Amino acid sequence: MRQPIRRIAVNTGGGDAPGLNAVIRAVVLSAERRGWEVLGIRKGYEGLLDTSKTMPLNRDSVRGITHLGGTILGTSNRGDPFRMPAKDQGDSGGALSTVDRSDEVLQNFRRLGLDALIAIGGDGSMRIAKGLADKGLPVVGVPKTIDNDLEGTLVTFGFDTAVTVASEAVDRLHSTAEAHERVFVIELMGRYAGWIALHAAIAGGADAALIPEIPFDIDSVCRKIMDRESKGRHFSLVVVAEGATPIDGALSTKGSQEGGRQPLLGGLGETVARQIQERTGKETRTVVLGHLQRGGTPTPRDRILALRFGAAAVRVIAERRSGVMVALDPPLVRTVPLADATRRLKTVPLDSDTICTAREIGLCLGDEWE
């Protein structure tokens, strides 16, 4: 006979996103209803390597946090227990290497008397969760990323807030662009998926959107701008995803890959702006929203989705299931295997209705299309 569930843990890993605290609150309240204790793991998976980085969670500690951005548990995108940084002792220069400390995670998990882990995170965190599940740790994933690039779920929480912030920025830039008859290039996050840029460009009424899924020709963008110029529209707004690439170029990065982490993307907005000004003669400025898309109060839509995900994760544990991720499959929250959720990034389908809508309303996507 199985032992009853008494104590579960929850962590938040990877980049922060609006709605993390709402998930934590739902987990704690749902668990308390079942008489379970909840342990918060600080800084991603680091609290399962250094158990001093843990904190008990209860109704009082999660009161009034649903509307708050960030995460009361802290987060990290450098704490992969399968690839923890370690100095190479044989290198006098102190070069960094990585070591697998996942066995320590399992040992500490058992030592803390835990019955399951709810791992909240994006693609990197879900891959770690799958690796731990493969080693026997009972884990349920909750999909979090402003990039909306996780397979298996229609949408991730954090995405709606990021699009809202980006759309409002495009809205505000309309008036100053028109007043000065300038071109504005707005660089947005999203890494290798163009969900934020595409949705913000459509919602904000931009004139062009460059996304990773469609390599762009800068001349196509300039033709769009000059076509508007010929029709008396002496300003333009160009939305650029940080991971977009020109047809004959590569990713724009601000830093090299370090310690197994992904390269730091950025700088594409400045490059595109410079090329537009050189080719069109139009005064062109750049706005980089950066982490503004991650911070602050989550939208009501993201709060509700986060609460639904947190409560669903607890239900999955109560059903004695693990190795899965909760996912939105309207109108229900279902589960998908972690293996399916981490198989590949979810990018914008080129035959999607959203892409078709963008083209039909005249949004330039940096390619030739009639």
Side-chain angles (χ1 to χ4, degrees):
M1 183 176 178
R2 284 183 174 180
Q3 292 293 320
I5 296 170
R6 293 190 174 90
R7 197 180 201 206
I8 66 171
V10 59
N11 75 342
T12 54
D16 63 308
L20 283 168
N21 284 321
V23 180
I24 295 168
R25 180 168 181 266
V27 166
V28 171
L29 297 183
S30 299
E32 281 198 352
R33 286 187 65 252
R34 292 167 169 82
W36 304 350
E37 295 179 17
V38 181
L39 186 68
I41 308 299
R42 294 181 185 270
K43 299 202 62 147
Y45 291 91
E46 290 182 21
L48 286 172
L49 291 170
D50 176 1
T51 56
S52 68
K53 296 179 180 178
T54 60
M55 60 184 289
L57 297 174
N58 54 40
R59 184 175 295 271
D60 289 336
S61 58
V62 299
R63 182 173 286 117
I65 67 171
T66 298
H67 68 289
L68 300 179
T71 163
I72 62 170
L73 294 177
T75 188
S76 173
N77 53 13
R78 304 187 184 194
D80 182 350
F82 292 94
R83 303 185 67 185
M84 290 298 292
K87 279 195 173 182
D88 188 344
Q89 300 299 319
D91 190 327
S92 59
L96 285 177
S97 59
T98 60
V99 294
D100 183 350
R101 298 180 62 187
S102 58
D103 285 342
E104 293 178 52
V105 169
L106 269 69
Q107 292 165 8
N108 287 331
F109 181 86
R110 288 189 282 267
R111 187 168 62 82
L112 290 167
L114 297 170
D115 299 300
L117 169 67
I118 294 176
I120 312 169
D123 60 299
S125 297
M126 291 303 106
R127 281 194 293 270
I128 296 170
K130 180 188 179 298
L132 294 174
D134 290 344
K135 299 190 77 164
L137 192 147
V139 58
V140 174
V142 174
K144 170 277 320 173
T145 169
I146 66 169
D147 302 340
N148 195 40
D149 59 1
L150 264 172
E151 276 287 338
T153 182
L154 176 67
V155 69
T156 55
F157 73 86
F159 173 65
D160 186 68
T161 304
V163 171
T164 299
V165 171
S167 299
E168 289 177 352
V170 177
D171 289 344
R172 291 177 181 276
L173 287 170
H174 260 106
S175 56
T176 188
E178 187 169 12
H180 292 274
E181 298 187 348
R182 290 171 175 158
V183 176
F184 270 87
V185 176
I186 305 103
E187 182 182 312
L188 303 179
M189 285 182 166
R191 296 198 68 80
Y192 308 114
W195 296 100
I196 298 175
L198 181 63
H199 282 243
I202 294 173
D207 305 297
L210 308 182
I211 62 176
E213 292 83 355
I214 302 176
F216 67 88
D217 181 352
I218 192 65
D219 290 330
S220 176
V221 179
C222 292
R223 282 193 292 273
K224 172 70 176 182
I225 292 169
M226 296 313 293
D227 179 64
R228 285 175 52 79
E229 189 78 13
S230 69
K231 295 174 180 175
R233 304 296 283 168
H234 302 300
F235 71 99
S236 294
L237 298 172
V238 179
V239 172
V240 176
E242 62 183 355
T245 57
I247 53 176
D248 56 352
L251 283 171
S252 180
T253 63
K254 294 192 293 184
S256 58
Q257 196 165 353
E258 177 183 335
R261 299 176 63 210
Q262 294 177 322
L264 182 63
L265 301 185
L268 181 62
E270 286 286 351
T271 300
V272 168
R274 184 179 65 255
Q275 292 175 339
I276 289 174
Q277 183 158 320
E278 290 172 351
R279 285 167 167 79
T280 67
K282 295 285 296 178
E283 184 178 0
T284 306
R285 300 292 177 86
T286 308
V287 175
V288 181
L289 289 194
H291 288 80
L292 285 173
Q293 296 157 91
R294 290 193 180 281
T297 302
T299 60
R301 185 184 296 272
D302 272 340
R303 296 183 211 183
I304 293 170
L305 181 59
L307 291 166
R308 291 177 69 187
F309 279 167
V314 172
R315 290 197 299 272
V316 170
I317 292 172
E319 294 166 1
R320 300 284 186 163
R321 292 192 290 139
S322 65
V324 297
M325 181 186 80
V326 297
L328 182 64
D329 181 16
L332 301 175
V333 173
R334 304 184 188 275
T335 61
V336 296
L338 283 169
D340 292 346
T342 56
R343 185 166 291 124
R344 65 187 179 106
L345 287 180
K346 183 182 73 176
T347 54
V348 178
L350 297 186
D351 60 352
S352 67
D353 180 74
T354 308
I355 288 285
C356 291
T357 298
R359 295 194 188 280
E360 294 289 353
I361 64 176
L363 183 67
C364 172
L365 298 178
D367 59 348
E368 296 297 338
W369 181 85
E370 295 294 338

